[in-house]
Amino acid sequence: MSTPTVERIPNNQTVLNGYVGFDTITQQIEKKLLKKGFQFNVMVVGQTGLGKSTLVNTIFASHLIESKGRHNAAESPRQTTEIESVSHTIEENGVRLSLNIVDTPGYGDQVNNDNCWEPIIKYIKDQHSAYLRKELTAKRERYIVDTRVHCCLFFITPSGHSLKPIDIVVLKKLSEVVNVVPVIAKSDCLTIEEREAFKKRINAELAFHNIRLYPYESEEDDEQERSLNESIWELIPFAIVGSERNVVINGKAVRGRKTRWGAINVEDANHCEFIHLRNFLTRTHLQDLIETTAMIHYETFRAKQLMAIKESTQHQQKPESPSE
């Protein structure tokens, strides 16, 4: 009786002689993930009055966080005075997403803004620290609640000139610990020409100060992923407009704003880049934002902490030299 021959194809991959069924593993993973749900934590950073809360509500098409904007001219301005975290569970086509929104005080609002970014950096690191403590306990939870910040939306004032010195400092500090996605807030304040010139100046400043923003280059990316990331880099910083209100444009109700000069449809790419930002955050890079947080920012933090613990332990165990 002859032994059946096994056909070989490149990369040492063996051809099967019949159907096995392990190709269903993706369906098995999907079923488990859908049952568990997903966690996404987003932080908003920027000066007061740039529409941070409104943009988050616009991205996720629901009222998730209260806007601090004034409802009428006589009302006193409101602002976030401390870091606040708001959690919601939203569902779309059977996919459940636990969304945690971290609203930060408007930095640069005070007379003295020295180290105004420190509470924000401390909050991000505290979430890493809390996750590490849970990870290192003798009896770990089956599912560790993930409060690590996956994405930081950084709001730039639509001045049309350049980044402020404090913006550069805060961006440098943030980019070391979290995935930063910069946006030009209320970009309808600028003409198309002003907007493009502003973006060029911002990108020149980012390059000059060597500020590394998300998405990052990776050798693991295939051609399609590289092409997608290149299209994102061309758009950064996203020029956006947010709105929770519906306005009528050409007889159709859309989310947007009406001014004395006309109407703005936030989902029209000819009016602003909101739709590109939303697609980037939810449709193409949501999982990568979560993975990058775990594999790059958290791992960097974890390695430093464990090395510090090791050095501290070695120092304590080191025998003292006998006194002469």
Side-chain angles (χ1 to χ4, degrees), residues 190-222:
L190 306 169
T191 65
I192 298 296
E193 293 76 17
E194 289 171 339
R195 191 176 81 184
E196 291 308 309
F198 189 33
K199 290 178 75 165
K200 284 183 180 178
R201 282 194 290 272
I202 290 171
N203 282 316
E205 287 181 293
L206 293 173
F208 179 80
H209 293 282
N210 197 27
I211 297 173
R212 190 165 171 250
L213 301 175
Y214 182 86
Y216 311 119
E217 288 185 82
S218 173
E219 293 179 357
E220 296 178 2
D221 290 344
D222 58 29

Side-chain angles (χ1 to χ4, degrees), residues 126-180:
D126 283 350
Q127 307 319 303
H128 288 322
S129 182
Y131 194 91
L132 180 60
R133 284 197 303 271
K134 291 175 184 176
E135 201 176 47
L136 295 178
T137 54
K139 292 185 178 180
R140 285 194 298 181
E141 302 170 26
R142 186 177 181 186
Y143 299 117
I144 299 176
V145 177
D146 188 3
T147 60
R148 296 171 296 182
V149 179
H150 301 129
C151 175
C152 174
L153 291 174
F154 184 87
F155 287 68
I156 299 169
T157 305
S159 65
H161 303 298
S162 60
L163 290 172
K164 299 176 184 177
I166 194 171
D167 289 335
I168 294 167
V169 174
V170 176
L171 274 168
K172 287 198 80 165
K173 297 288 184 182
L174 284 171
S175 62
E176 293 171 359
V177 295
V178 70
N179 300 321
V180 179

Side-chain angles (χ1 to χ4, degrees), residues 302-318:
R302 183 177 180 273
K304 287 180 180 178
Q305 293 297 305
L306 294 181
M307 284 298 294
I309 292 170
K310 182 181 178 182
E311 289 174 7
S312 176
T313 304
Q314 287 175 343
H315 180 74
Q316 290 173 4
Q317 292 176 346
K318 186 177 181 181

Side-chain angles (χ1 to χ4, degrees), residues 16-31:
L16 303 175
N17 293 323
Y19 179 68
V20 177
F22 58 79
D23 60 343
T24 63
I25 191 170
T26 55
Q27 298 168 24
Q28 298 168 41
I29 293 170
E30 182 181 7
K31 186 177 179 181

Side-chain angles (χ1 to χ4, degrees), residues 223-290:
E223 189 176 337
Q224 185 179 2
E225 289 168 328
R226 281 194 293 270
S227 176
L228 178 60
N229 284 343
E230 284 170 6
S231 68
I232 297 299
W233 293 327
E234 289 176 3
L235 288 167
I236 287 176
F238 294 91
I240 53 89
V241 178
S243 176
E244 294 183 75
R245 298 181 179 180
N246 283 341
V247 297
V248 178
I249 299 178
N250 298 327
K252 183 181 178 182
V254 297
R255 280 186 297 168
R257 296 176 56 200
K258 266 193 175 178
T259 68
R260 68 182 69 181
W261 300 281
I264 299 163
N265 178 358
V266 301
E267 295 189 351
D268 187 338
N270 294 315
H271 292 186
C272 70
E273 294 166 347
F274 166 80
I275 194 167
H276 297 300
L277 173 66
R278 184 194 63 192
N279 293 347
F280 166 60
L281 292 178
T282 63
R283 304 185 185 187
T284 62
H285 284 72
L286 178 57
Q287 180 60 25
D288 190 68
L289 282 161
I290 296 169

